């Protein structure tokens, strides 16, 4: 993954404006950043490894500039591998978002023809190929999901969309190109989303899009205010976004439209089989949904989108429904899975926070969770809003199976209002509790986050948050499994973060398992209403949301204590598109 941002203007403008755009794209990668620009008739490049915040650009005005913020997917995070990358004659500067498959063979062939390489990235291949071929003919010859843009010494700025998002805009004598429409706020009021396969040539203040032959046309969209992309006084985006959970819950409820919920629920009810797919946090949301759907009489298969094409696809056919969950809507595993499933006749229902994402575009029906932009890499408010959307969807399915009534649906909306209210009223107290407990998580040999029943996936998610936000090794497990091996580590600085069960059958197990863990020398920290780490009291179905918030705060405060780079964990990126 990576972020692309550039401009081409009639009157020279400050080179530093590129940095404004790139900073807004830093969620797409922070392993390196750089800018190519035209000055005095020649092509210049400034680049450095690391976050774009540290990129120092000269205070000059230039007509054209093209910048990049990098996630190191091919080649390490070094200066040589930082984009823009140049051709042999240093006359073509290229930036790439995504991955070019099979680039090694291309590289060997180019090297055999005398091209000299200075990096180990796939992106550099493009710079050299552009020395030999026209960009429009080139794109069709390459495999992979990527987009690239190039600025040349003779004043050409062009780009190709081959599977990663690109938007273009023109305003006030400048044309712009970017990976993300939100980054254009303040630069332009509307933008065109390039369809896959499109080529665009930018000129000073204008652009010309050439869609793929027979392919879709570009879509015009308004550039909305970037209200959520600032930290608004919070030290980290993650904390701000956890504090936004209550309002996001209310927004999700308001934005989900009855007609699409009816359609999606009808499709699920009529399905021969249902697969729920996602990765990471979205997979955990999918796991919770299996309890919601089971409650209304529908059993679903939950599987990681990374595994789906290899272990489930052969059973997919007409009558199969894929419920695909992805906050970004861009995760490659998810996109690859839905494409393959569609080819075999499946119907796709997407659940995403990004309405212009590929998941939204390529689903038969999609449900927008409308949690607002999430800038921190550790997902928080999008997880809780996704759970809410899935619970509402399951209730709609229940209207078909007869397990839920309109009154139940109305009561659910009231319960969600109540949870949002209670969370808003107690979030500071929860945060205070997390802060005072953070020291207990530091310097542990191992941390187990254990839960049972419907809060088991919340335990997995809690462990994931501890890894991302606090860089602590944590493992999520089912409470009962604690006794089947994991307790061997009890005496080695083991901390068990135990989620109080919300279903009756697990209560007895809970007290017994914790007693044994303590006797064997483990430190036990309980989570739940009135526990060591409190959680807002709620009914069973909403408990995963309530517990998730408490665990997010715990992970966040542990991260602060550890001095971890909370919003930008090493080696991670907001949407994994490799
Ligand atoms: C969440 O905190 C992680 N950053 C990661 O596991 C993420 O959930 C996963 O990569 C899937 O992302 P998506 O929801 O955008 O598809």
């Amino acid at each position: 993954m990576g972020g692309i941002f550039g401009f081409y203007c009639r009157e020279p403008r400050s080179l530093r404006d590129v940095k404004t755009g790139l900073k807004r794209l830093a969620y797409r990668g922070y392993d390196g950043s750089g800018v190519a620009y035209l000055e005095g008739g020649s092509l210049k490049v400034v680049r450095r490894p690391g976050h774009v915040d540290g990129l120092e650009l000269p205070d000059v005005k230039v007509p054209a500039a093209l910048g990049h913020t990098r996630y190191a997917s091919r080649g390490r995070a070094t200066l040589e591998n930082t984009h823009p990358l140049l051709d042999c004659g240093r006359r073509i500067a290229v930036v790439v978002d995504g991955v070019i498959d099979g680039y090694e063979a291309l590289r060997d062939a180019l090297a055999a023809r005398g091209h000299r390489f200075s990096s180990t990235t796939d992106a550099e291949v493009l710079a050299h190929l552009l020395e030999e071929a026209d960009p429009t003919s080139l794109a069709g010859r390459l495999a992979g999901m990527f987009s690239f843009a190039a600025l040349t010494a003779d004043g050409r700025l062009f780009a190709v969309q081959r599977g990663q998002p690109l938007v273009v805009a023109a305003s006030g004598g400048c044309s712009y190109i970017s990976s993300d429409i939100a980054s254009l706020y303040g630069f332009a009021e509307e933008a065109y989303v390039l369809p896959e396969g499109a080529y665009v040539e930018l000129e000073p203040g204008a652009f010309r899009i050439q869609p793929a032959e027979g392919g879709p046309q570009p879509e015009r969209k308004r550039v909305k205010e970037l209200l959520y992309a600032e930290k608004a006084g919070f030290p980290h985006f993650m904390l701000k976004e956890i504090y936004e959970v209550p309002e996001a819950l209310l927004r999700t409820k308001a934005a989900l439209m009855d007609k699409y919920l009816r359609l999606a629920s009808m499709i699920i009810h009529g399905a021969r089989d249902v697969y729920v797919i996602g990765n990471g946090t979205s997979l955990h949301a999918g796991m919770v949904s299996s309890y919601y759907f089971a409650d209304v009489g529908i059993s679903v298969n939950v599987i990681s989108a990374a595994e789906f094409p290899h272990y489930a696809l052969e059973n997919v056919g007409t009558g199969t429904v894929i419920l695909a969950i992805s906050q970004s809507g861009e995760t490659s595993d998810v996109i690859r899975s839905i494409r393959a499933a569609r080819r075999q006749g499946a119907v796709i229902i997407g659940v995403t926070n990004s309405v212009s994402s590929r998941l939204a575009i390529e689903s038969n029906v999609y449900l927008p969770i409308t949690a607002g932009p999430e800038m921190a890499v550790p997902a928080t408010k999008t997880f809780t809003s996704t759970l809410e959307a899935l619970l509402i969807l399951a209730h709609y399915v229940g209207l078909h199976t007869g397990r839920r009534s309109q009154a139940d649906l109305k009561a659910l909306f009231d319960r969600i209002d109540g949870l949002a209210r209670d969370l808003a009223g107690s979030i500071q107290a929860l945060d205070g509790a997390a802060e005072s407990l953070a020291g207990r998580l530091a310097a542990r040999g191992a941390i187990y986050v254990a839960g049972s029943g419907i809060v088991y996936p919340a335990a997995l998610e809690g462990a994931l948050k501890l890894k991302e936000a606090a860089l602590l090794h944590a493992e999520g497990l089912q409470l009962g499994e604690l006794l089947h091996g994991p307790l061997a580590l009890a005496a080695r600085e083991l901390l068990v973060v135990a989620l109080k069960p919300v279903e009756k059958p697990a209560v007895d197990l809970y007290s017994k398992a914790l007693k044994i863990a303590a006797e064997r020398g483990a430190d036990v920290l309980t989570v739940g209403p009135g526990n060591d780490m409190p959680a807002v009291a709620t009914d069973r179905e909403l408990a995963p949301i309530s517990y998730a918030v408490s665990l997010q705060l715990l992970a966040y405060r542990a991260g602060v204590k550890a001095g971890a780079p909370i919003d930008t964990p090493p080696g991670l990126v907001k949407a994994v598109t490799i």
Side-chain angles (χ1 to χ4, degrees), residues 278-284 325-332 334 351-352 374 376-380 382 461 464-465 468 569 572-576:
N279 297 100
T281 295
S282 291
L283 176 62
H284 298 153
I325 305 168
S326 173
Q327 170 281 127
S328 62
E330 298 291 345
T331 299
S332 295
V334 174
V351 178
T352 180
E374 189 175 69
V377 169
T380 52
T382 54
E461 176 57 14
L464 177 59
K465 288 289 94 89
E468 285 186 294
L572 298 181
V573 77
K574 192 68 186 156
V576 180

Side-chain angles (χ1 to χ4, degrees), residues 273-277 308 316 320-324 338 341 346-350:
D273 45 10
V274 180
Y275 287 92
V276 181
I277 63 167
F308 175 83
V316 168
T320 300
V321 170
I322 309 292
L323 181 59
I338 62 164
V347 174
I348 316 296
I349 299 173

